Amino acid sequence: MGKVIGIDLGTTNSVVAYIDRGEPKIIINEEGGRVTPSVVGFSKSGERFVGDIAKRQMLINPDATIHSIKRFMGKRYKDAGNDLPLVNYKVSAGRNGDCQFDVNGRILSPQEASAMILQKLKKSAEDFLGETVSEAIITVPAHFNDPQRQATKDAGTIAGLNVLRIINEPTAAAMAYLHDRRKSATIAVYDFGGGTFDISIVHIDRELGEVRATRGNNALGGGDVDRVIMEWLIEQFRKEHGVDVANDKVVRQRLRDAAERAKIELSSALETEIQLPFLMADATGPRHLQCTLSRATFEAIAGPLLDATMEECRRALHDARMTVEQIDEVVLVGGSSRIPRVKELVREFFGRQLNQQFNPDEVVAIGAAVQAGVLEGEVKSVTLLDVTSLSLGIEIEGKRMAKLIPKNSCIPAQKLQLVSTVVDNQKTVKIHVLQGESGKADENTSLGEFELQGIEPAPRGVPRIEVKFVIDANGIVNVSARDSRSGVAQQLTIQAPTGMSRLEMERARDEAASYEKTAEHAGELKEVRFQIERQLTQIETLLRDQRDQLQRNDVQEADHALKRGRMALQKAQDRTNLEEVHGWLRRMLLALNEKVAGNGVH
C-alpha cells in the first residue's frame, strides 16, 4: 500500500497531511502554502482554477467562482435556504431536487466541485512526496448525515482517490490530541469552522479514546459571521448614501471580502477601518464606503451566532451526562475559534484555560493523517471509538419515527428489527428509513425506502422478516433483510433521494481523469513556451550587447532564430514542434555564446 494521506476538506480552506517516520506533517501546496482555499473558479474560456488563484478572482467574477461548497454537499435545494445568502453564484435544484451549481452554463454537482479541490490536494501531495497517491482519509463535520457523508466519499472517488475512511472532524482533532499527549483526560473539542460547528466530548485513556457525545450545526460557521458583518456594512452604506446594494453581486462580494478581513483584524485590534473606494457609481458619480467597526459592535452583531455554539455545548454535556467540572481540557479547532469573544465564551462556560497548543487550521488534517498512519502501520496503534451524531429509525403508523439506533451510539453500530405484513398474503414489505431526532417522520432526513419482495403468502402478522440496520465506521448506513421462515436473505442498497447515480459517478470520474491529463499536457506546453520565450530574450540581449563581436552571418542566423521562435509561439500549439524549436534555439544560443567567448569577450 502506498502513502495514505489525511485530508481536511474544509468549507473555507482545506489541508492535507501525511505521516513521516511516525509523526504527522502538513503537505505544502504548489503555491508554497499550508492551507488551500476551498474555491473553484472558471474563466470565460472554460479554464479552471483551484485554490488561491480562484479566491483572487472572486472579487471580479463572483458568478463563476464556487466557494462554501461544503454547505451544499448531499443537501436538497429546499433545505439549503440558510446557505444561499452566503454565495453569489447560481444554485438551483437538480435531479431529485438536490443542489447543483450553474457556472457559465456548465452544471456541476457539489461532489464534482469538491472533487476538483481534492484533485488539487492529491496533486500537491504527489508533488511533495514524489510518489503517486491513491488512498486517503477524509474528514467531515460530526453532524453530517448519511447523504452528506456519501457525497463526500463520492467526491473522493471522482478525484481518483480510494477513500479508506470518513471520520468526524472533532474526532480527528481528538486523534491528534491522543497521538500528541497519550494521557488520561476528558476533553471537549470545540470546532468552529468556516461553514459548520461541532462540539464533541471525548474521554481519553492513554491509547484509547471514546467519544461520549457530539452535537453540531451544519449551517453555522465563520461564513455566517462574515455575512452578518456584510449586512451591517450594507446598512451603513444605505444610511450614508440612501442606496441599497444588497442585490449587486459584485458589490456584495467586495463587502464580504472586507467583512472577512475586518473579522480577522478584530482578533488583534479593538477597531478596524473599512475603506472601499468606488464601491458603486450612479448618475451622481462614484460612491465610496468608509466606516469604523469596533470589536464591541462586532461582538454585538455576531453575538447570537456565538451564543448558539454555547447552546450546543450545553446539549453535548447533557447528552454525555457530564458536567463542566468533569472536563479537563478544551481543544479549539477551526479558524473561527480564534475570535477573542469565542475564546472568552468558551473559557467562561467550561471554567478552564484553553488548550491552544494545536494550530486550529491544521489539527483536523493532522488527526486524519494519524488515522492514516494507523492503517498504514506507521503509527503505534491508537483507538478512538466514535459515535453517531444522528438517530436512525423507521417510519411507523401515524407518520411517526421509531428510533432504532439512537444518537451518540458507538459506531460501528447495528440493530436487528423484526417486521411483518399488515394484510393477508402480502408479498412485499416496504420500510422507510429515516435519520434525525424529530418524532415526526417528515421532519427527518429520508435515507430511502427499502422493499423486500417474494415473501411467501401467509396471514398478516405471520411472516417474520429480520431487518438489520448497520452504521459503519464511516457513519454510513447499510441495510439488509432476511425472511426467517424461508431463510432467504437480501442485501438492500439505499437509494438516497440525493446523490449521484453510478453512471453519473463514472462519467464524472472519467471527466476528472481526462481533465487531469489535459491539464498536465497544457502545463508541459506552457513550460516549453516559457523556455522558448526565455531563450529569445537571451538571444536578444546577446545581440544588443555583443553584436560587434559577431560575424555578419552569425547575426543573420540569430535574427532568423528570433523570427522562427516568435512565429512558433504565435502559431504552434503542437508540443512536438515547440520542443523541436526549443532544442534548435538552445543549440543556437550555445553556439553564439561560444563565438562571443572565442573573441575574448567575457
Side-chain angles (χ1 to χ4, degrees), residues 542-553:
L542 188 145
L543 286 179
R544 183 183 68 244
D545 297 340
Q546 313 294 345
R547 181 180 290 268
D548 294 341
Q549 306 299 323
L550 295 171
Q551 298 293 328
R552 181 177 179 182
N553 62 327

Side-chain angles (χ1 to χ4, degrees), residues 352-363:
R352 299 282 185 276
Q353 287 299 314
L354 308 178
N355 183 331
Q356 300 184 62
Q357 297 179 4
F358 298 96
N359 184 326
D361 293 323
E362 300 176 356
V363 63

Side-chain angles (χ1 to χ4, degrees), residues 286-576:
R287 303 289 184 93
H288 317 293
L289 174 63
Q290 182 173 354
C291 61
T292 300
L293 177 61
S294 68
R295 185 184 291 183
T297 300
F298 163 67
E299 291 176 354
I301 60 178
L305 299 175
L306 307 186
D307 291 341
T309 70
M310 304 318 302
E311 181 58 31
E312 295 294 340
C313 292
R314 292 185 186 91
R315 293 173 179 172
L317 281 173
H318 178 268
D319 292 345
R321 299 178 181 178
M322 300 180 70
T323 64
V324 291
E325 289 77 18
Q326 293 173 281
I327 303 298
D328 298 307
E329 291 190 62
V330 181
V331 178
L332 298 181
V333 180
S336 299
S337 68
R338 289 191 172 95
I339 297 173
R341 181 56 178 162
V342 166
K343 294 179 181 179
E344 184 180 342
L345 286 171
V346 175
R347 191 181 299 113
E348 290 175 355
F349 179 84
F350 287 100
R352 299 282 185 276
Q353 287 299 314
L354 308 178
N355 183 331
Q356 300 184 62
Q357 297 179 4
F358 298 96
N359 184 326
D361 293 323
E362 300 176 356
V363 63
V364 170
I366 290 292
V370 171
Q371 178 65 63
V374 171
L375 295 180
E376 289 178 298
E378 285 194 42
V379 173
K380 183 180 178 181
S381 183
V382 294
T383 303
L384 203 152
L385 305 176
D386 209 345
V387 298
T388 175
S389 59
L390 296 165
S391 298
L392 178 69
I394 59 174
E395 182 178 350
I396 60 176
E397 188 178 0
K399 295 185 177 181
R400 293 175 294 118
M401 173 179 171
K403 295 179 181 179
L404 303 181
I405 301 179
K407 68 176 181 179
N408 294 320
S409 296
C410 188
I411 57 174
Q414 66 178 39
K415 174 72 174 182
L416 193 65
Q417 180 73 17
L418 286 176
V419 300
S420 188
T421 54
V422 294
V423 297
D424 293 340
N425 301 319
Q426 185 176 330
K427 295 183 179 181
T428 64
V429 170
K430 183 177 291 185
I431 304 159
H432 187 196
V433 179
L434 304 167
Q435 194 173 37
E437 306 308 321
S438 176
K440 297 180 180 179
D442 59 1
E443 292 181 356
N444 295 292
T445 299
S446 172
L447 300 187
E449 292 185 349
F450 305 86
E451 192 171 87
L452 182 63
Q453 300 179 347
I455 298 173
E456 294 181 2
R460 66 178 183 175
V462 172
R464 289 292 181 266
I465 299 165
E466 299 174 346
V467 181
K468 183 162 63 174
F469 299 84
V470 178
I471 302 179
D472 65 17
N474 298 311
I476 294 175
V477 180
N478 298 278
V479 178
S480 60
R482 178 180 177 274
D483 186 345
S484 60
R485 295 177 66 214
S486 65
V488 174
Q490 183 176 349
Q491 183 73 33
L492 302 176
T493 302
I494 294 177
Q495 298 297 328
T498 61
M500 303 178 70
S501 67
R502 179 174 297 180
L503 287 176
E504 289 173 324
M505 281 280 294
E506 291 176 355
R507 173 192 58 77
R509 187 172 60 243
D510 291 344
E511 284 183 2
S514 175
Y515 178 86
E516 195 169 12
K517 290 181 180 178
T518 302
E520 182 179 356
H521 174 76
E524 293 171 349
L525 196 63
K526 285 182 179 179
E527 177 61 25
V528 175
R529 292 176 65 86
F530 167 73
Q531 293 297 337
I532 291 175
E533 289 173 352
R534 172 187 281 178
Q535 290 166 338
L536 293 178
T537 300
Q538 291 173 336
I539 292 175
E540 287 174 341
T541 302
L542 188 145
L543 286 179
R544 183 183 68 244
D545 297 340
Q546 313 294 345
R547 181 180 290 268
D548 294 341
Q549 306 299 323
L550 295 171
Q551 298 293 328
R552 181 177 179 182
N553 62 327
D554 295 330
V555 173
Q556 290 176 340
E557 287 185 12
D559 287 335
H560 175 66
L562 290 173
K563 183 177 180 180
R564 181 181 176 186
R566 291 186 185 116
M567 289 182 63
L569 290 177
Q570 290 175 1
K571 298 181 179 181
Q573 292 296 323
D574 180 67
R575 181 182 167 188
T576 302

